Structures are given as structure tokens and as C-alpha cells.
Amino acid sequence: VCLVTGASRGIGAAIAARLARGHRIVFLNHRASEEGASEVQRAARDRGECIESVRADVADEGEVRRMIDRVAERCATLDVLVHNAAAPVALKPLFDLDWTDDVLPQLATSCRGFLNLVQAARPLFVSGTRIVVLLSDAIFHTPPARMGAYLTAKAALWGLTRAAAKELQPLGVRVYMVAPSLARTDLVLDLPERAREIVAAQHPTGRLVDPEDVAAVVEMLIADAGKYMHGANVVVNGGLAF
Ligand SMILES: NC(=O)c1ccc[n+]([C@@H]2O[C@H](COP(=O)([O-])OP(=O)(O)OC[C@H]3O[C@@H](n4cnc5c(N)ncnc54)[C@H](OP(=O)(O)O)[C@@H]3O)[C@@H](O)[C@H]2O)c1
């Protein structure tokens, strides 16, 4: 039984679809885009797989509790929790960043969302539950300009996830981080196409990360292959740093 946050499109949708292909029951969380969620569900149903949509703003404690209650009505345990949701990134220079309008929404979805999820889902965790958190390669290597709010939230989420790895280990809960480089999704819609091409060319592979590349790594980590990788941060950047 898996719950993937922010799975109505982009990387989350690819993760949800991939997990469902392994005959798992997948709960697809999203905040607003009903259409995207229905599309992912429909495609899974056509393949004979099971994806159920559970809407909630992960930043809202009450909504997350109600979402987890819905999961608990169907399933006694949660085997895999993937915290993938992230607020849209508006490119803004540091001098123009507003704490309330720019930084807090990023922190709310990334960090408050993670806390809400872990605290609400605690009764469904069993020894062997896996948690995967999506970070960003940009916080570990050269960061792009004008993404201060997003980078702040991802760096804070890194700390929080490491705290979770430390504190949940005694429960037998495995925690992983996955940090992709730039992918072609809606996350940074105002990034010019030329900038995407330049970043793609910087990758030794000559292309940006594909959501499927990330989904494959998530599946590898939650499988037996990841058993001895508790607390690991796996960078998915096609060798960009080398
Ligand atoms: N794309 C990249 O270049 C890239 C690179 C490195 C890391 N990542 C990470 O990979 C993850 C997925 O990114 P993506 O590019 O696939 O993003 P995306 O295409 O923008 O999709 C974001 C998803 O998150 C959901 N979401 C946003 N705020 C939410 C909230 N408060 N509660 C619940 N759901 C919420 C959206 O649902 P609604 O549409 O319903 O709001 C959507 O399903 C993120 O953690 C991101 O930081 C992405």
C-alpha cells in the first residue's frame, strides 16, 4: 500500500504509475488538479491497476488527517510513503524575496507537509514501512539563481528527513531521499526553454532527467535492493556533477 503526494502530474505521477505497475494499491494525493489525477487514475485502470485519488493540501494538518483516515478505512498499514509534492517555483532574485509570500508557501508544502504526513500516518507505520522524500540536486551542487525560496525549503526538508531517518529507525521504518536535477515538468514553468536546453547540454547524457528515471530509483529503493540503504540520499542527475 503506497501513498504518493503531488502525484497528479510530473514526477509524482510517474512514481504513482510505476508503483501501481507492481500490483500495489496506490493512493494518489494532489491538491487541486482533479483533471491530472483522473487522467493518471484512468490510465492505471486501463492497465488493470489500482490507483485511488485522495485530495488534500499536505500543508493543512486537518486535511492530511482526513486523507490518512481514508487510507486507513481501506488498508491497515502504509507500506510506502513518498513525499513528492512541492509548491510551484517562481523565479525571484534574493533582494525581492518575500518571507510570507515566497518562502513560507515553499516551507509549508515541503516541511510542514512532511511533518503532517509522518505524524498522521504514524499508526499505519509498521516495521518495514519505507518513506521516500524528494529533494533537489540543486541543494547539493551549484544552485541555480533566483530559486532562493525553493532551495531553502528543500535544504530544510533534507534536515527534517535526516531527523526522521534517525528517529524512525528504531521502529524499523526505512527512510530515503532522492535528489533529481532539472526535469521537464510544470514545477518551474517560467524557466525559459533556452535555459532548459543549456542545462540539458550540461548533463553528460545531453538530456534533462525524465520523471521515469526518478520513478525507477524510487522503486529500486523501496525494493529489497534498498534494504541496507537506510538514510541514503540518491542523486539522480545523469552524472551532472562529474
Ligand atoms: N522538476 C524538476 O526539475 C525537479 C528537480 C528536482 C527535484 N524535483 C522535485 O520533484 C518533486 C516533483 O516535482 P515536479 O516537477 O513533478 O512538480 P510539478 O510537476 O509541479 O507537480 C507538483 C505536484 O505537487 C502537487 N502539490 C503542490 N502543492 C501541493 C500541496 N500543498 N499539497 C498536495 N499536493 C501539492 C501538485 O498538485 P496540484 O496540481 O493539484 O496542486 C502536483 O501534483 C518535487 O518535490 C520537486 O521539488 C523536481
Side-chain angles (χ1 to χ4, degrees):
V1 179
C2 312
L3 170 63
V4 184
T5 68
S8 56
R9 53 197 160 92
I11 292 171
I15 294 171
R18 182 143 190 146
L19 296 183
R21 278 204 291 277
H23 302 292
R24 304 171 180 97
I25 299 169
V26 175
F27 290 93
L28 172 164
N29 158 262
H30 65 104
R31 182 186 48 179
S33 37
E34 289 295 341
E35 208 177 303
S38 305
E39 215 172 284
V40 179
Q41 265 185 298
R42 204 175 314 119
R45 206 169 34 240
D46 290 349
R47 293 191 300 266
E49 297 154 4
C50 178
I51 294 187
E52 195 167 311
S53 167
V54 280
R55 202 213 67 79
D57 179 346
V58 295
D60 185 304
E61 193 183 336
E63 290 192 15
V64 170
R65 287 205 180 276
R66 286 190 287 282
M67 173 176 72
I68 296 294
D69 286 347
R70 279 190 61 193
V71 174
E73 279 166 18
R74 287 271 325 270
C75 306
T77 61
L78 184 60
D79 303 302
V80 176
L81 168 63
V82 182
H83 183 35
N84 163 86
V89 179
L91 298 177
K92 237 183 194 186
L94 199 67
F95 290 128
D96 297 338
L97 270 189
D98 185 88
W99 180 255
T100 308
D101 293 343
D102 301 316
V103 184
L104 283 185
Q106 289 292 339
L107 284 168
T109 304
S110 287
C111 299
R112 193 166 188 182
F114 181 63
L115 260 191
N116 287 341
L117 287 159
V118 168
Q119 291 177 351
R122 163 74 186 95
L124 301 184
F125 290 165
V126 288
S127 179
T129 289
R130 283 86 81 202
I131 297 176
V132 183
V133 173
L134 269 289
L135 300 178
S136 167
D137 169 70
I139 60 171
F140 303 106
H141 301 114
T142 312
R146 299 187 293 150
M147 283 201 193
Y150 174 74
L151 294 169
T152 299
K154 286 294 178 185
L157 183 58
W158 179 43
L160 199 52
T161 309
R162 284 170 58 79
K166 183 73 188 168
E167 293 186 32
L168 300 185
Q169 190 172 29
L171 305 178
V173 174
R174 282 152 48 190
V175 179
Y176 307 102
M177 292 157 274
V178 175
S181 54
L182 187 68
R184 197 176 292 281
T185 67
D186 296 342
L187 188 76
V188 198
L189 270 180
D190 52 347
L191 193 68
E193 185 52 29
R194 181 74 192 120
R196 282 179 222 275
E197 285 169 10
I198 290 169
V199 177
Q202 287 166 352
H203 286 69
T205 52
R207 66 165 176 90
L208 297 178
V209 173
D210 192 87
E212 274 300 329
D213 298 323
V214 184
V217 170
V218 171
E219 190 174 45
M220 182 268 289
L221 287 171
I222 65 160
D224 276 356
K227 260 192 172 160
Y228 214 64
M229 292 177 71
H230 175 76
N233 174 35
V234 181
V235 166
V236 185
N237 66 5
L240 183 64
F242 297 98

